[in-house]
Amino acid sequence: MSFVTAVVCAQSQHFAGEFHKLLLTALAAKEGKLPVTPDPNRPAPPSADKRWKLVEATMRRMGNSPRGLIESLHTVQEVFGYLDLDALRFVARALRVPLSRAYGVATFYHFFSLRPPGEHTCVVCIGTACYIKGAPQLLAAIKQELGVVPGQTTADGKVSVLGARCLGSCGLAPAVVYDRDVAGKVTPQALRDHLAKWKSHVS
Amino acid sequence: MSPEELEQIAEAERERQAKFKHRIKVCMAAGCVSCQSEGVKAALDKEVAARQAAAGGGECDCEVKCVGCMGLCAGGPLVAVGDSALYQHVTPEDAPALVESVGGAPVSRLVCPTDVPFFQKQKKVVLENCGNIDPERIEDYIAAGGYTSLMQALGDMTPLQVISEITRSGLRGRGGAGYPTGLKWSTVSKAPGEKKYVVCNADEGDPGAFMDRSVLESDPHRVLEGMLIAAFAVGANEGYIYVRAEYPLAIKRLRIAIKQAERLGLLGNNICGSRMSFHLDLRLGAGAFVCGEETALLASIEGRRGIPRPRPPYPAMEGLFGQPTLINNVETFASIAPIIRHGGEWYAQIGTEKSKGTKVFALAGSVNNTGLVEVAMGTTLREMVYEIGGGMAEGRQFKAVQTGGPSGGCLPAQFLDMPVDYENLARAGSIMGSGGMIVMDDTACMVDVARFFMDFCMGESCGKCVPCRVGTYHMHGLLKKITQRRGSTADITQLEELSDLLKNTSLCGLGQSAPNPVLSTLRYFAEEYKAHVEEHRCPAGVCNSENGDDAANEPPNPDAPVAIDLGSGKGGDQ
Amino acid sequence: MIRASTIKTLKIDDRDFSARHDETILDVARQNGIFIPKICDLKGLSPVGACRLCLVEVKGSNRLLPACSTLVEEGMEVTTTTERLQRYRRNILELLFTERNHVCSVCVSNGHCELQTLAQKLDITHVHFRYRYPNLDVDASHDRFSVDHNRCILCSRCVRVCDEIEGAHTWDFMGRGIESLVITDLAEPWGTSETCTGCGKCVHVCPTGALFEKGKSVAEMLKRREFLPYLTQMREEHS
């Protein structure tokens, strides 16, 4: 175990990230270079993709401890869009989490997806207020237009449709999130128009 | 940070604000953001800048300010000009007219009247700053008196005094169960343990509830201050806010708030020169309603599947990482600072005999004024629906009000004059829950509503205990059958049987309360069930037989009792 | 030496007992020949309170409490068998039977199955809830063992024994609610598992025929669990 890791482990998990940074800077100032000695016990990322650095940063912030599993999976999903088996295996190893537990967590929480998302995502809120105010009609419109139900992606990979338990935009029911933008008081026609816009766009 | 330094910050901020003669406030909470209030803000900024340039530059006397939720989400985007004029449904094109109106006559076509019950009937304690301060600037919160309660607690009070003040206030947990907050704090403070945690439950999972979201988006520092006071009272030095990943704006503002508080030394080591240290971090939920249950929430913070465990041991004794842990919900923490500032007695004067203080409700569904309201406990449902809510939308007939989400119930018109508090709601067969209040009109089918909630509970059951895992599946199947108008009275009997089973044998609150929507609709809307199973019709015209049809795959007579093939063996060891 | 304060006296079904403070109601019942049905609990593994069959009435508590995970308390008065409790237990067993495809006469565990025994003990002959008939797989990729998800009741004994006793944590659950399944590693075929040591403990703690040894006849497929109290005791003495 290198000096840096030993010190970090001795600190509370909360500080680990900050402390690590501080130490690195202090050492770098002293030696004039960053002391990057790869820990032989640490698994290497599945690929040379730079985005793994972000995942590793999150794991470091969480003290590379098993309790950082969910936060790390959040980062993987944020930067790659979904969790594949290689990512799960890497995160599980790095955080010393049993493989089956990592898979169990990834499939327990509906926010995580094990399949790549479509080019666009359309999240339909199916909370109570939206349900009462017409979410079922929106889902019917989607089924008619795209032939998919929540949880599915169109065959051409264009659009993923998801259902949300409640977006908390109940005052604007029914609500839909197009990619990242929330729209309120959505009518089936407005939804169709939006889907048509996506369809015609070649990106 | 000392009280004097805090006052200096407040003073500097007040001076800064005084430099502007006029102020235009734009709602930047999620409701209005989803009606493009960002565009409105940009247009207003541009317009103000253009006018200033045309006037030859110099000191600008009009501030365009981002604020949190102003409550009336139905009217979004909302813009307030000066102290009196509130405008609704504002578009970017309205910016010139609004800026023109500053200090002059209001723009009548956009005016949102504020002398109506929606605004007059409210009593704001938790929401006092919402819609007034910029949620992304700690200075604004401090100028509004923020963090003085923390100073007061740290400087002039002992942890015991803080707890007794909270106890005196009569505050009860706003997450749903209504457990006395003072008692919980006292238990955690007495629990032996070298390390203690304070956790804020911001996993607002009830569909139809957005109180916590609005508070976090509009006034995040208030929650931080409440947590800090709690940490002082129970002797904790580490805390977490567990917030839903579905609330990106709330997450962003909490992150900003934590950074700002750390910068000012309000979070960290030796807070305000005292011996108290408190470190706070966010943990994001990942789409599991059951994580609102406290033991499941703790499992999730620990990075595991959100599976509840039997209590006792209660988290107050053995919680996060096995240490004593105080868990309260957002609104509970948001009520703490005013209680310390004005005293427990003051808070206890508000509300009813057993339910003190105010409660924030998310009013949604078929009323004209959907949005966020805070009222004194004991306000009647009629006041909520017909005065604050502005009556039924589209002149429809009132049918029911749903409180408490999937754990609550649907109350019919006979309860309209019932004062809303924990006891009355429970007696009527519902619960306070976190504060979602959904008004339903005659176009809603109550059997379908029950099916909707059972679908929710089935999908959110963690799967650990048998009654909840399999029972919700069967109850959903029975309700689906009834809404497909293929049900019989025997199905209703079976629903009642399963309700009794789940209520009494499920491991956690999710399963125990999952039958509530069914039981309350069976109790008050029995004639609707009857119409479905006896006459095979839906009085509201909602249910049609194509409802997710899978009748073709079912065995010919699925309802006859099936003999189990127990083989001839004599069974294994026990 | 055991201090007097750590000894609790309690009543179970109107009989007086004394017990150590760290014992559960179920421990006391078990030692004294009082039958409380249970299926997720197994002595030697941590209690989880999942099956809800061992719920008992405790005077002064408005809720039913799981005997497997409720510690004894001074003056506790426990009732293990009432008409209501038996009704709930029968209901719960019925739910288990309807959840997956349990057909005893073609099951390898016929005659040594805890689910079957309980059904017989509680006089269950018919199920009045609707069968679910899920379409589930059998994974026979392992050299020596198979898992038949149709017979799994999700009691988590395999998960616990693998984690707590073997230390491999090959098993866990995936999904949630009615869709939950036990998995090995990343839900890959058992035979390809990188972490499974092939010790077979999971097979021997499985209460039903969900986990079984290949090539054994019904008569041979006895589950042997002597290792569990032995290993637990050895470890306690070493720690």
Side-chain angles (χ1 to χ4, degrees):
Chain A
M1 191 186 274
S2 71
F3 165 64
V4 172
T5 9
V7 175
V8 170
C9 288
Q11 296 304 312
S12 81
Q13 164 263 332
H14 183 93
F15 275 136
E18 283 311 310
F19 215 80
H20 200 167
K21 257 189 258 162
L22 270 177
L23 267 172
L24 282 181
T25 342
L27 288 170
K30 213 172 169 185
E31 300 173 17
K33 64 175 168 51
L34 284 177
V36 194
T37 30
D39 182 343
N41 294 322
R42 293 205 59 75
S47 72
D49 195 319
K50 286 256 181 349
R51 289 175 288 182
W52 288 113
K53 296 264 177 250
L54 294 168
V55 178
E56 288 184 307
T58 301
M59 295 198 290
R60 209 160 41 235
R61 181 168 62 78
M62 300 299 297
N64 288 316
S65 116
R67 65 177 72 161
L69 178 62
I70 295 176
E71 289 286 307
S72 307
L73 294 183
H74 266 300
T75 307
V76 174
Q77 173 137 329
E78 204 180 310
V79 299
F80 292 99
Y82 73 111
L83 315 169
D84 65 9
L85 292 189
D86 286 338
L88 281 177
R89 197 169 275 126
F90 168 60
V91 172
R93 292 246 164 89
L95 300 180
R96 295 176 315 252
V97 172
L99 292 172
S100 58
R101 178 185 283 178
Y103 197 86
V105 165
T107 54
F108 181 86
Y109 295 100
H110 286 182
F111 200 80
F112 296 130
S113 168
L114 271 65
R115 281 187 303 262
E119 211 173 289
H120 297 285
T121 52
C122 173
V123 183
V124 181
C125 178
I126 38 176
T128 323
C130 293
Y131 183 78
I132 297 289
K133 289 230 170 176
Q137 284 85 322
L138 298 181
L139 292 175
I142 290 177
K143 182 137 194 232
Q144 215 176 19
E145 291 293 312
L146 307 173
V148 291
V149 296
Q152 295 180 332
T153 302
T154 52
D156 59 3
K158 268 261 183 229
V159 184
S160 287
V161 178
L162 298 165
R165 284 306 189 189
C166 182
L167 297 169
S169 298
C170 314
L172 300 157
V176 172
V177 192
Y178 301 113
D179 291 327
R180 295 214 162 185
D181 302 325
V182 187
K185 296 182 182 166
V186 179
T187 60
Q189 193 48 48
L191 180 81
R192 282 200 177 92
D193 293 346
H194 209 102
L195 295 179
K197 222 165 65 193
W198 280 348
K199 255 191 208 166
S200 61
H201 260 276
V202 187
S203 56
Chain B
M1 177 72 59
S2 65
E4 292 72 35
E5 286 170 302
L6 194 74
E7 183 49 36
Q8 276 168 19
I9 294 174
E11 197 47 53
E13 174 65 16
R14 281 194 283 266
E15 261 172 43
R16 191 194 71 81
Q17 289 178 6
K19 277 196 270 179
F20 298 102
K21 251 165 57 200
H22 308 290
R23 191 157 290 115
I24 302 178
K25 294 183 280 193
V26 187
C27 174
M28 282 295 194
C32 285
V33 169
S34 56
C35 339
Q36 278 72 51
S37 67
E38 280 166 326
V40 172
K41 164 86 171 41
L44 285 166
D45 278 335
K46 209 170 129 195
E47 184 63 28
V48 168
R51 273 170 199 253
Q52 196 197 342
E59 285 276 303
C60 179
D61 67 347
C62 181
E63 184 192 25
V64 182
K65 177 174 173 181
C66 300
V67 295
C69 186
M70 301 198 213
L72 190 61
C73 304
L78 293 167
V79 175
V81 175
D83 289 327
S84 51
L86 182 67
Y87 298 106
Q88 58 184 347
H89 302 302
V90 178
T91 61
E93 289 74 46
D94 297 323
L98 288 187
V99 177
E100 181 65 39
S101 80
V102 167
V107 188
S108 54
R109 69 189 162 88
L110 296 170
V111 164
C112 173
T114 51
D115 53 353
V116 292
F118 182 86
F119 295 100
Q120 303 294 328
K121 277 242 166 187
Q122 292 199 45
K123 167 102 188 142
K124 299 208 172 188
V125 174
V126 168
L127 301 181
E128 59 183 348
N129 288 337
C130 292
N132 289 320
I133 64 162
D134 183 340
E136 298 189 10
R137 296 189 63 242
I138 190 171
E139 295 84 1
D140 213 355
Y141 179 68
I142 293 174
Y147 288 111
T148 50
S149 298
L150 174 67
M151 294 290 170
Q152 200 181 326
L154 284 178
D156 314 329
M157 298 167 89
T158 63
L160 226 62
Q161 281 171 324
V162 173
I163 293 174
S164 71
E165 207 59 51
I166 299 300
T167 308
R168 203 168 305 140
S169 76
L171 177 67
R172 293 168 62 177
R174 295 292 189 244
Y179 191 80
T181 306
L183 192 55
K184 204 181 224 181
W185 287 26
S186 158
T187 312
V188 180
S189 85
K190 286 181 199 148
E194 46 198 270
K195 193 171 177 78
K196 292 181 189 178
Y197 293 92
V198 170
V199 172
C200 174
N201 183 347
D203 190 48
E204 186 175 51
D206 281 8
F210 52 94
M211 302 75 50
D212 296 349
R213 165 197 191 131
S214 297
V215 171
L216 295 174
E217 285 174 356
S218 310
D219 199 2
H221 284 288
R222 164 178 299 267
V223 180
L224 265 49
E225 188 176 359
M227 289 183 76
L228 275 157
I229 295 170
F232 170 70
V234 304
N237 52 22
E238 209 171 310
Y240 293 94
I241 302 178
Y242 186 85
V243 56
R244 299 179 80 200
E246 286 90 335
Y247 288 176
L249 193 57
I251 294 166
K252 177 185 152 203
R253 292 198 176 144
L254 277 172
R255 288 211 165 112
I256 294 174
I258 290 174
K259 274 218 181 77
Q260 290 171 338
E262 281 172 346
R263 201 188 60 217
L264 292 186
L266 293 161
L267 279 175
N269 292 326
N270 302 102
I271 293 166
C272 310
S274 73
R275 276 185 307 172
M276 176 182 163
S277 299
F278 190 63
H279 300 278
L280 189 57
D281 206 353
L282 288 189
R283 284 293 174 271
L284 306 195
F289 174 71
V290 69
C291 290
E293 198 278 340
E294 51 185 20
T295 58
L297 185 147
L298 296 178
S300 189
I301 294 181
E302 291 170 4
R304 295 183 284 122
R305 289 160 60 88
I307 307 276
R309 60 156 174 81
R311 297 178 301 180
Y314 287 90
M317 303 301 287
E318 232 174 89
L320 196 60
F321 308 118
Q323 303 298 325
T325 303
L326 173 75
I327 309 176
N328 277 138
N329 125 302
V330 171
E331 197 184 329
T332 314
F333 282 127
S335 307
I336 300 302
I339 292 176
I340 297 298
R341 197 179 321 138
H342 303 295
E345 306 273 349
W346 164 82
Y347 192 80
Q349 280 166 10
I350 312 168
T352 64
E353 200 203 326
K354 284 190 172 163
S355 303
K356 304 293 186 193
T358 60
K359 176 80 194 86
V360 182
F361 287 101
L363 199 53
S366 307
V367 283
N368 285 311
N369 302 333
T370 53
L372 197 70
V373 298
E374 182 173 10
V375 294
M377 288 278 189
T379 304
T380 64
L381 285 172
R382 189 182 299 282
E383 289 171 281
M384 295 294 294
V385 176
Y386 288 97
E387 296 186 33
I388 295 168
M392 299 300 291
E394 299 161 25
R396 288 264 166 207
Q397 183 78 33
F398 172 88
K399 187 178 219 170
V401 54
Q402 209 281 338
T403 67
S407 315
C410 296
L411 304 180
Q414 70 190 82
F415 290 105
L416 275 174
D417 291 309
M418 181 186 81
V420 174
D421 66 15
Y422 289 99
E423 281 71 26
N424 281 336
L425 283 171
R427 255 196 300 276
S430 187
I431 60 162
M432 175 76 75
S434 54
M437 195 173 265
I438 294 158
V439 181
M440 298 176 188
D441 63 29
D442 51 357
T443 58
C445 166
M446 301 321 279
V447 186
D448 188 54
V449 167
R451 187 203 57 79
F452 167 82
F453 281 117
M454 196 50 69
D455 182 48
F456 184 94
C457 292
M458 176 179 74
E460 295 300 332
S461 166
C462 78
K464 175 175 178 175
C465 78
V466 183
C468 176
R469 181 178 78 228
V470 195
T472 53
Y473 168 83
H474 281 305
M475 289 184 78
H476 177 256
L478 291 163
L479 288 161
K480 192 161 114 183
K481 194 174 154 204
I482 296 172
T483 56
Q484 287 169 344
R485 297 179 295 178
R486 299 184 293 113
S488 65
T489 31
D491 293 331
I492 294 183
T493 316
Q494 208 168 84
L495 272 177
E496 285 167 341
E497 188 186 2
L498 284 166
S499 293
D500 178 51
L501 179 74
L502 264 68
K503 214 182 163 116
N504 291 299
T505 64
S506 298
L507 195 162
C508 83
L510 194 156
Q512 289 160 7
S513 62
N516 284 351
V518 180
L519 289 171
S520 67
T521 49
L522 273 172
R523 184 162 153 195
Y524 301 121
F525 300 93
E527 74 286 356
E528 285 196 40
Y529 280 88
K530 217 170 139 188
H532 280 80
V533 297
E534 287 179 7
E535 301 159 41
H536 301 290
R537 71 181 176 87
C538 172
V542 174
C543 307
N544 57 61
S545 55
E546 289 96 62
N547 242 347
D549 209 347
D550 56 4
N553 304 326
E554 281 166 14
N557 183 6
D559 297 321
V562 181
I564 320 173
D565 172 6
L566 282 177
S568 53
K570 57 171 187 33
D573 52 340
Q574 254 297 313
Chain C
M1 203 181 85
I2 300 171
R3 275 185 300 147
S5 64
T6 62
I7 296 290
K8 311 275 179 188
T9 55
L10 70 157
K11 264 194 166 70
I12 300 182
D13 294 339
D14 280 330
R15 286 165 62 195
D16 290 310
F17 297 103
S18 60
R20 269 200 341 262
H21 69 107
D22 59 349
E23 287 183 304
T24 65
I25 298 174
L26 188 61
D27 288 330
V28 182
R30 197 165 11 214
Q31 288 154 19
N32 294 285
I34 298 171
F35 171 69
I36 300 178
K38 44 93 187 166
I39 202 155
C40 65
D41 181 83
L42 188 62
K43 185 82 187 150
L45 300 179
S46 61
V48 286
C51 73
R52 317 306 285 168
L53 286 170
C54 71
L55 289 179
V56 293
E57 289 179 10
V58 175
K59 198 174 171 187
S61 163
N62 53 4
R63 298 216 62 86
L64 303 174
L65 297 173
C68 67
S69 54
T70 305
L71 294 177
V72 296
E73 270 170 41
E74 185 58 39
M76 208 176 216
E77 290 180 39
V78 181
T79 312
T80 64
T81 316
T82 64
E83 194 275 320
R84 173 172 168 240
L85 287 173
Q86 291 299 82
R87 188 175 73 239
Y88 289 152
R89 287 167 185 163
R90 276 195 292 267
N91 277 341
I92 290 169
L93 281 174
E94 279 191 50
L95 292 181
L96 282 176
F97 273 101
T98 59
E99 187 184 13
R100 296 197 177 176
N101 307 309
H102 298 279
V103 186
C104 302
S105 55
V106 295
C107 178
V108 65
S109 282
N110 187 10
H112 344 282
C113 167
E114 292 181 41
L115 184 65
Q116 185 184 29
T117 314
L118 280 176
Q120 287 166 340
K121 274 204 169 155
L122 295 174
D123 289 328
I124 300 176
T125 51
H126 287 69
V127 169
H128 73 301
F129 302 117
R130 194 185 292 193
Y131 266 83
R132 195 171 143 251
Y133 301 118
N135 187 10
L136 296 167
D137 290 333
V138 178
D139 175 1
S141 59
H142 196 279
D143 295 346
R144 294 158 49 214
F145 313 120
S146 288
V147 52
D148 182 350
H149 293 286
N150 292 291
R151 300 168 184 157
C152 173
I153 57 166
L154 303 170
C155 67
S156 81
R157 283 188 191 175
C158 54
V159 178
R160 282 175 284 156
V161 81
C162 189
D163 175 54
E164 297 168 11
I165 308 294
E166 176 63 9
H169 203 116
T170 300
W171 291 100
D172 209 316
F173 288 109
M174 70 166 279
R176 67 155 96 129
I178 197 85
E179 309 290 343
S180 307
L181 280 181
V182 289
I183 51 163
T184 50
D185 291 353
L186 298 175
E188 296 148 310
W190 191 0
T192 66
S193 167
E194 305 162 46
T195 60
C196 177
T197 61
C199 72
K201 291 187 181 70
C202 52
V203 173
H204 286 282
V205 298
C206 178
T208 69
L211 295 174
F212 57 95
E213 268 182 77
K214 284 180 169 176
K216 287 226 166 145
S217 68
V218 173
E220 292 170 317
M221 194 47 242
L222 276 171
K223 307 234 161 160
R224 291 192 313 272
R225 294 173 186 151
E226 305 80 47
F227 72 89
L228 202 50
Y230 175 76
L231 287 181
T232 325
Q233 198 188 356
M234 284 300 122
R235 283 181 197 176
E236 270 166 12
E237 276 170 17
H238 277 96
S239 64

